[in-house]
Amino acid sequence: MIGIYPGSFDPVTNGHMDIIERSSRMVDKLVVAVLCNRAKKPTFSYEERVRILKQCTAHLGNVEVETFDGLTVDFARRKGAHMIIRGLRAISDFENEFSMASMNKQLADDIETMFLMTNTQWSYLSSSMVREIAAYDGDIEPFVPAALAPQIKKALRASLQEEK
Ligand code: PNS
């Protein structure tokens, strides 16, 4: 069973890591799929996001990190995956995730979306909050993979300087 875990990961948080670690135990291979949508301007380049994700998933033998552009279901098909994994934090996630899973099912009936409830410890956490904390010079260390916090902080600072 191959699963894909698609997302923006801008940047990866401990909430994402919780979903990656738990779902990697449920499939033979997990592909973490970084959306590189040229229309969106992310804070981290997709190369940086892939590099960071590869580092923080290096301890998981069955996890690969790749980028994709276009429809998630098309990428899933190319990878031979029949399962899309998504994390659900609070009720507020449900509406958007429900629409996306329903549309993906309509587009590809053979691909199922499986939801994991994010560990309650991280149920309030999002990449945008991490970016905001960094923008105001707050401490992001508790919210991102510990070994990568300095790198993530540095990249966020650099991108904020660029914006000024
Ligand atoms: O981390 P995110 O931003 O919540 O991830 C959203 C993502 C990448 C899963 C979603 O935007 C996506 O699947 N985009 C690719 C286009 C697509 O397939 N959309 C769903 C059907 S319209």
Side-chain angles (χ1 to χ4, degrees):
M1 171 70 80
I2 301 173
I4 68 162
Y5 178 38
S8 305
F9 306 104
D10 189 33
V12 63
T13 67
N14 287 340
H16 294 128
M17 285 307 298
D18 171 52
I19 300 295
I20 292 172
E21 282 172 355
R22 285 161 56 210
S23 59
S24 71
R25 294 197 287 270
M26 299 167 146
V27 292
D28 298 305
K29 183 164 96 176
L30 179 70
V31 182
V32 178
V34 180
L35 178 71
C36 64
N37 179 344
R38 287 174 190 97
K40 252 186 175 180
K41 177 137 179 32
T43 300
F44 286 81
S45 69
Y46 68 85
E47 290 95 340
E48 271 174 320
R49 285 179 278 156
V50 167
R51 187 171 43 77
I52 290 170
L53 274 162
K54 278 190 174 164
Q55 279 176 264
C56 59
T57 57
H59 63 294
L60 301 166
N62 65 339
V63 176
E64 286 176 9
V65 182
E66 288 195 28
T67 57
F68 78 105
D69 195 3
L71 291 176
T72 294
V73 289
D74 289 341
F75 178 75
R77 283 231 169 90
R78 287 202 295 280
K79 300 309 295 177
H82 292 274
M83 194 196 281
I84 295 171
I85 290 145
R86 294 285 291 167
L88 276 180
R89 290 166 301 185
I91 296 167
S92 51
D93 275 346
F94 182 79
E95 209 168 323
N96 185 41
E97 294 297 332
F98 173 75
S99 314
M100 201 154 62
S102 306
M103 181 53 82
N104 284 336
K105 186 78 180 141
Q106 193 68 32
L107 294 169
D109 191 40
D110 54 325
I111 299 175
E112 298 292 341
T113 301
M114 188 174 79
F115 293 104
L116 289 185
M117 303 297 292
T118 305
N119 189 315
T120 47
Q121 189 188 0
W122 307 120
S123 62
Y124 59 89
L125 180 57
S126 66
S127 297
S128 58
M129 277 183 176
V130 169
R131 294 198 300 270
E132 187 157 321
I133 294 165
Y136 294 112
D137 225 10
D139 184 14
I140 61 163
E141 205 146 333
F143 310 118
V144 297
L148 296 164
Q151 265 189 57
I152 294 177
K153 245 189 247 179
K154 205 170 142 203
L156 279 169
R157 292 242 168 82
S159 88
L160 287 167
Q161 287 302 323
E162 258 174 46
E163 273 172 29
K164 278 184 189 164

